[in-house]
Structure formats: structure tokens, C-alpha cells
Amino acid sequence: MKNDEAKWYEKASGKKLHKTENVAKMAAKSAKAAEKDELKRQQEEKKLRTEPKTTKPIKSAKPENKVKKTKTPQKTTRRTAKTPFPETLPMFDTRNIPEDSAKILENFGKIVMETRNLSSKQQVLLPKQIKNLSHQLTDDRNSRRLGYMNDAGQLSAYISYFMWWNLVRLTRLFASLPETAFKLNDGDFCLDLGSGPLTVPCALWLARPELRSKKLTFYALDLSQGALAAGEEIFLSIAAKTLKENQLPWKILRVKGALGTPVKQKPALITCANVFNEVTQNSEMPPDFLAKTCTADILKYFEKDSPSAQTVLLVEPGDPRSARLVSLMRDSFMRKGFAPLSPCPHLHACPMAGRTAANPNGKWCNFAFDTSDAPEELLKLSKTANLQKDRASLSYVLLCRQEEKDSDKKASKPEKRELKLRVASDFIKLPELKKSAWYCCSELGLILAVDRTHRQPKNGDLLTIKHPGSTENCKKDKKTGAVILDI
């Protein structure tokens, strides 16, 4: 086992394994923990088979319980028969995350401790460093140095807290994206811009197990060599816990530099997570100009006139400024022949392009989920650092430039009489209708969806309803001008 571990580690990192015994111990611990879980499961099953069956009749002995159980299903059945629920595809469904990945996310703090070798004193100071770094990333941005992750203390704070939260966000998002979201083949190259500690490659490995068997090479580009090195250690540690027999992790090629630094091979996938909000935060240029500039910088990495699919994933914080930039970059990429795959349910202009001088009440495209089921240790760390999170949000767009044949086929298909709605808000109370509603994105523009069937969709859900046809006679939301439709 030691030789195998050392072999794939050396191939992946391009350096001799100087901690072979540690990797072997880590693999042995993982195997021992798996055996312990299996033994515990077998004992619980044995206990269930052998315990007396005298408790079941007690629950159903009371007649009032029987009455309650029969009434509720009848009401639900009648309502379902009259008003069918729309098809719903969640955006942040944790059930899509593989079991082995869920365990790693839950215990990511231990991986950080193993790879960073933090002393007890450093662990005590960690919450304070996290709090200080949070100020530098938000309300005190002018004090933050461009290469802030070159500082060992700030890097540890970033990995221990911000990277962990980003993994929680991204794994939920990536795991729920369409099966065709990442069209990658053996031998393909990927480029992660502003990679930092390789958050995106780690999240992809955790969320998309079908990609683990592919022979991929990731260029990780960042200004901080220390962050890239730490990220590679974390990625290989995660891979060691999830690799199957005869599998090797993706190859990581670290590239120190800013956006625009060249790489040798042309990528099939380019990812950028939490990059452009930092690049543009001190810029005085108008947002549309910045969007065009950033789009052009990304497109330079792709091979021109390539017949194969080229994919771009942009993820930014869910604040108005970042969401506005993502929407503008979506428009810029579409002008260059790219089509949005997610979250957009259409190919039209973005109806949630953010607040502008012409539209001060404009909605910005962002998605959020409740964090009550986030890793317990991460929630404790957040509380200790006085950075409690009730919600986690993001803005993103996934785009792909496909072959002309594929786009021709799509254009020739007959239009279905259904309407896709992407829920892009929390529920809104409508006192005059005594109902709840949600703002949604659609090919008809901004929709205010009134929940007539008590479906109670969540932020980010993709709904399918019957197409209303013309919206001329539909009511409009007084505040935003959104078309009001029933779901």
C-alpha cells in the first residue's frame, strides 16, 4: 500500500514523496474507520432483528392516531389530482453529494490540521486571524495586500474557514448541475484561474465522482505559490480517501501568475471562483467595460475555432456588485458564441441584471441556502470567530461553446408548450392574495410566481409549468414590472 500511495502521489505532484509514512498512516486510518463503521452497522442490524416486537401495536392502539393518519393522505391526494405539482429540480440538494465526499466535508478541519501542521498556539489564534481576514475581504478591502495569501497566518485562516465554506457552497452546486455540465475526456486540460488553495478542483473531485476516473490535468493559476502548494497537499489528501483501485488523482500543474499568464496547453474547461470581485474591486472602470475585458482575457486561453466543446464556469459572491458583473459577462460570452447551461432556463437577455441607473429596483441574480445542516465543526468555528452564517449565497453562470451541428439540432426541435422557471429569491408574502410568491427567471423575463398549490419551492429550484402563451393579459408586479403567474 505504501508503494502504491507513493507512486500516484509522485506522478501527481511531480516531486518525491517526503511523507510516505504519513500518507500510509492516513490510508490505514481511513480503512480502519471504514471497518469500524461497518462493524457498528452490523451490530445495529443485529439489534433490530433480535429486539422484541412489542412496541409496534402500542402506537396504533389509540383510535385518534388512526384518524389522523387517514385524513392527511386523503387531502393530499385530492389536491394532487386537481392541481399537479410542477416538476422541481433543486439547486443545492445535499442528497446529490456522494457519501464519501459528505464525510470529508464534515471532517475537513482534520485535513487542514494534518496538512498545515498547526501548533496548539496557532489553533488558539485561528479565530482571531479569521475575523481579521474577513474584515480585509469585505468592509476593509483597501488594507488587504494583493498577495495576502503569501502570508502563512492568513493562508491558514483562509483555508480553515473560507475554503471550507466555499467547498460547502461549490460541492452542493456542482453535484446538482446537469449530467452534461462538464464535457471532459481523458487527456483534457483544465484551467482554474485564481485557484488559491485549489478550492474548485477539490470541489469538483468531491461533487462529481464520474470525473475521478478521467485522466485530467489541472493548471492551477494564482499569485500565491504558497497557496497553490497547500492546495495541492489538500487535494491529494482528499484523493487518497476516495481513490478506487488502480485509480490516480488528476495531475496538478501549479502556475504562479496573474490573469493572462500563459499556459502550455489549451484547456477544455476554465473555472473562475471568487476571482473577479477581487480583480475589479478597486477599478474605476464601468462594469460593462470590465465584463468585456475579463471575458476577452478568458477567451485567450481557448483554442480558436476548436470543434470540441469549451466550457466556462464563473462563480462569485451573491452580492449586487458581483452578480451584476456575472450577468454582464454572461452577455459578453453569448456574443462570442457561448450558450448558458445553468442557471439560466433560456437564451434571452438576463432579466435579473442588477440595479442600474435606468432600473433602480432591478433584481440581481443570486442563490442562497440555509446553513443549519453545514458541518458542525465549521459552524462552531464560525461562532467562535463571531462570523455566524445563517445563509450561504453565490452568483454563477455555466456556459459552453458547442459545435454548430449541436446548435442546429437544438434550433430545429419543435418548441414544447412548457415554461421553465428558475427561482431566484426567498418567499415573498402577498397580503392582498393571502399567498406566498417567488421571483423567478424565465424566457418571458422576470416572473413573480404565486404559489397556488402550496408547493413552497426553495431558492434556486428549477420549476416546469404549463406555458401561459401570451402575457398581455397577465397582471404585473407594481414594484418590478414582473409578470405574475400561478404555480
Side-chain angles (χ1 to χ4, degrees), residues 260-429:
T261 302
V263 294
K264 292 183 179 180
Q265 302 292 336
K266 297 296 183 181
L269 168 68
I270 296 179
T271 57
C272 323
N274 301 322
V275 174
F276 295 110
N277 73 92
E278 293 190 10
V279 171
T280 62
Q281 65 183 1
N282 295 322
S283 177
E284 296 180 356
M285 296 295 179
D288 55 345
F289 177 82
L290 289 172
K292 292 177 182 178
T293 302
C294 294
T295 300
D297 289 338
I298 293 174
L299 289 175
K300 290 176 183 178
Y301 287 104
F302 281 127
E303 181 181 356
K304 292 183 179 180
D305 303 321
S306 174
S308 58
Q310 297 174 340
T311 306
V312 177
L313 175 65
L314 307 174
V315 184
E316 294 293 337
D319 60 74
R321 178 185 172 90
S322 300
R324 170 81 173 142
L325 183 63
V326 170
S327 178
L328 290 170
M329 290 183 69
R330 170 190 181 271
D331 181 66
S332 295
F333 273 106
M334 290 183 69
R335 293 175 186 273
K336 299 297 182 180
F338 283 75
L341 302 179
S342 183
C344 316
H346 60 86
L347 302 178
H348 303 287
C350 178
M352 305 187 76
R355 295 171 180 169
T356 62
N359 186 14
N361 292 323
K363 296 293 181 182
W364 63 91
C365 182
N366 70 103
F367 307 97
F369 60 89
D370 179 77
T371 60
S372 58
D373 59 348
E376 186 177 350
E377 291 300 320
L378 178 56
L379 293 175
K380 287 182 181 178
L381 180 60
S382 300
K383 186 176 181 180
T384 305
N386 199 24
L387 294 170
Q388 295 93 326
K389 283 183 182 291
D390 296 325
R391 291 157 51 84
S393 64
L394 54 80
S395 297
Y396 81 97
V397 64
L398 176 71
L399 306 111
C400 183
R401 178 159 57 192
Q402 299 173 327
E403 298 181 52
E404 292 183 5
K405 294 180 181 179
D406 292 341
S407 59
D408 292 341
K409 288 179 183 178
K410 286 186 178 181
S412 62
K413 286 185 178 180
E415 184 179 347
K416 295 182 179 180
R417 300 311 294 167
E418 62 181 24
L419 181 65
K420 299 284 186 181
L421 303 177
R422 177 70 74 178
V423 180
S425 76
D426 293 329
F427 79 91
I428 303 160
K429 290 183 179 181

Side-chain angles (χ1 to χ4, degrees), residues 2 40 65 85 91 136 154 158 175 180 256 326 334 406 416 435:
K2 288 185 179 180
K40 185 177 180 181
N65 289 344
F85 286 156
M91 178 179 286
Q136 294 181 39
Q154 290 193 323
Y158 185 91
T180 57
K256 183 180 179 181
V326 170
M334 290 183 69
D406 292 341
K416 295 182 179 180
K435 294 291 181 183

